[in-house]
Amino acid sequence: MENRVLLGLQRAETVRQAAGESLRKFVLISIIAGLPAFLEAFDSEIYSFGSTYIVPSLTGPPFLTIGLIVTGYAVGIAVFSLVGGFAFDRFSVKSTILISVAVFSAATFATGFVTNTPELFASRFVVGIGVGMFQPAGVSLLGDLFFETRGKAVSVWATFFGVGLFTSPYTISPFLPAFRVPFEISGVLAVIILALIYLFIPATFKKVERASGTGFRGIFNRNVVLLSVSIFFFGIALFAGYIGYFSDYLINGLHFTHSSAAVIASSAGLGGFICAFPIGFVADRVGRKYMVVLTSALVAAGSAGMFLLTTSYSGLIASTFIFGAGWGVYVDILVALGQDSVSDTVVGAVTGFLFFIFNVGTIIGGPLYGALLGSNHFRLASTVSVVIPTLIALIVVLFTRSVTRSNIEERPKFLSSPSDR
């Protein structure tokens, strides 16, 4: 007899069949599949916020700076984004997510025990490998459930990402300059999420013909090219100005206390948490393109406020909130539009490709900001590596096309009218 509650322990239904059966199962699968986003944001932000203290406290080669270590993390994500997307189209997405979250769990836990900068570089690189695999696999799973729910589903990922961003500065701030406990917490949370994925996500995702060859030949069109340009420049800006150096700018550039800086930085997560699902909901109603444009505009406006327009405490909270409201769902809605634009058989490939291009940008962002920073020139570094790239990212998406025709045959039963049943 099949277990109808613990979906991960049964073999009869695919993820898509189970999710389409009822709204309750759709919500359950979406929540469990979105939980790794919390891990990604929580780990990334506790490291980003604590890096000003973590790196100087370790022994090792002085060239392994904040920016270079962040770049190692980004390289791990970039390379394995292609692996995660490729695996979605060809192998068990459940196994892919389980393996990658397990790798992440071990590496984020190890980050709390490093004693020198080479060890820190290695642990962050392996964390990047885990994130690089489960990020495209998870977003592919959510976005490829149904065309009609794509915006709402990927916004679940964005919502959990926002929760991770919001809670992490408060988690690490009380422990600084020590930093072990927050990474131990991250590792334990990853193990709990592993168990939930195992129990509640069915083994098979969908019953469609597998993509042949590499799958990348079927993903290139006008929308995907424009979206890849936009997400590339956003990647530069994100890892330059927020993930890489925002806490450094607040603490050493503007001389805020680390508790005040924690409040400012956490407002990005609050913006994402509050706005992600409403934006995803509207995206399913009016078209994903328009919400990609909106979120790009929020990112551009927020970044300008964070680094150029204000230095006041309240102004920075407001600007960072606006930035987070856009960032919190921009990547996921952009990827959803990319999924709209290709065949159902290569959704994983296009998702992995867009995350790969995004993370190529992130590799550039940290070192670029560090090179421009020089002798405390935060304004110059921020203008060139944050504000200008976010404006380019906005302009490019204006030229994408809206997609209204479904590329998925199945429709969820809970959205069908009685006449359709």
Side-chain angles (χ1 to χ4, degrees):
M1 183 176 176
E2 300 289 357
N3 192 315
R4 308 296 291 175
V5 179
L6 301 178
L7 300 175
L9 302 183
Q10 60 83 35
R11 301 270 179 194
E13 287 183 307
T14 66
V15 175
R16 190 178 276 178
Q17 287 169 338
E21 188 175 304
S22 68
L23 181 60
R24 179 180 64 85
K25 287 187 177 180
F26 173 80
V27 171
L28 174 65
I29 288 173
S30 297
I31 289 174
I32 300 301
L35 286 173
F38 173 85
L39 296 176
E40 177 190 355
F42 185 83
D43 168 88
S44 173
E45 185 71 351
I46 59 174
Y47 176 75
S48 173
F49 190 80
S51 61
T52 302
Y53 299 90
I54 295 171
V55 176
S57 71
L58 302 174
T59 61
F63 62 83
L64 287 175
T65 61
I66 292 174
L68 188 56
I69 292 171
V70 169
T71 299
Y73 167 75
V75 168
I77 298 178
V79 173
F80 282 85
S81 291
L82 293 174
V83 176
F86 178 88
F88 178 85
D89 290 330
R90 287 158 184 79
F91 307 111
S92 166
V93 64
K94 177 177 180 175
S95 297
T96 301
I97 295 175
L98 286 173
I99 292 169
S100 54
V101 172
V103 170
F104 167 93
S105 175
T108 189
F109 190 84
T111 300
F113 292 84
V114 297
T115 58
N116 56 60
T117 45
E119 289 178 3
L120 179 61
F121 184 90
S123 68
R124 300 312 296 166
F125 177 74
V126 178
V127 167
I129 290 174
V131 172
M133 289 183 67
F134 72 61
Q135 187 182 64
V139 174
S140 294
L141 187 157
L142 289 164
D144 202 36
L145 285 172
F146 306 105
F147 182 84
E148 296 84 356
T149 63
R150 186 164 271 159
K152 292 186 284 291
V154 298
S155 71
V156 173
W157 187 275
T159 301
F160 279 116
F161 191 86
V163 174
L165 287 180
F166 177 71
T167 57
S168 48
Y170 299 110
T171 303
I172 192 170
S173 183
F175 296 100
L176 292 173
F179 56 88
R180 174 177 294 181
V181 173
F183 289 104
E184 292 175 337
I185 294 171
S186 181
V188 170
L189 290 174
V191 172
I192 294 171
I193 291 172
L194 271 172
L196 293 174
I197 293 169
Y198 179 78
L199 292 173
F200 291 103
I201 302 296
T204 304
F205 179 67
K206 58 185 177 182
K207 293 180 178 177
V208 297
E209 181 182 352
R210 295 289 186 183
S212 59
T214 63
F216 292 106
R217 288 177 297 178
I219 70 172
F220 294 107
N221 54 50
R222 170 177 169 165
N223 267 15
V224 173
V225 170
L226 290 172
L227 293 174
S228 64
V229 173
S230 177
I231 205 169
F232 169 75
F233 280 100
F234 173 73
I236 292 175
L238 178 64
F239 267 57
Y242 189 82
I243 300 296
Y245 284 91
F246 190 50
S247 64
D248 192 35
Y249 169 63
L250 294 174
I251 295 169
N252 296 322
L254 300 182
H255 307 294
F256 284 103
T257 63
H258 63 76
S259 59
S260 296
V263 174
I264 295 169
S266 71
S267 60
L270 185 62
F273 171 68
I274 292 174
C275 299
F277 190 80
I279 289 173
F281 182 86
V282 174
D284 288 337
R285 296 296 184 92
V286 305
R288 259 79 74 173
K289 170 188 172 171
Y290 304 107
M291 293 301 99
V292 173
V293 172
L294 173 63
T295 53
S296 298
L298 290 172
V299 166
S303 63
M306 289 161 64
F307 290 103
L308 298 182
L309 302 180
T310 182
T311 57
S312 70
Y313 181 67
S314 58
L316 285 166
I317 288 176
S319 296
T320 309
F321 180 92
I322 292 169
F323 176 85
W327 168 33
V329 72
Y330 157 83
V331 171
D332 303 303
I333 290 294
L334 182 146
V335 168
L337 180 56
Q339 293 171 347
D340 289 342
S341 306
V342 300
S343 164
D344 188 25
T345 61
V346 291
V347 164
V350 76
T351 303
F353 173 75
L354 288 171
F355 274 115
F356 169 72
I357 296 298
F358 165 58
N359 287 298
V360 170
T362 68
I363 292 169
I364 297 170
L368 175 63
Y369 198 103
L372 293 169
L373 185 58
S375 301
N376 214 30
H377 296 147
F378 283 104
R379 190 176 185 87
L380 171 65
S382 301
T383 301
V384 174
S385 60
V386 183
V387 178
I388 291 176
T390 59
L391 288 174
I392 295 172
L394 169 61
I395 292 168
V396 170
V397 295
L398 295 174
F399 297 95
T400 57
R401 293 172 176 162
S402 184
V403 180
T404 57
R405 183 176 180 179
S406 175
N407 57 355
I408 299 175
E409 286 188 15
E410 295 95 328
R411 228 179 146 243
K413 293 179 182 179
F414 58 84
L415 289 183
S416 301
S417 64
S419 61
D420 294 332
R421 297 175 186 172

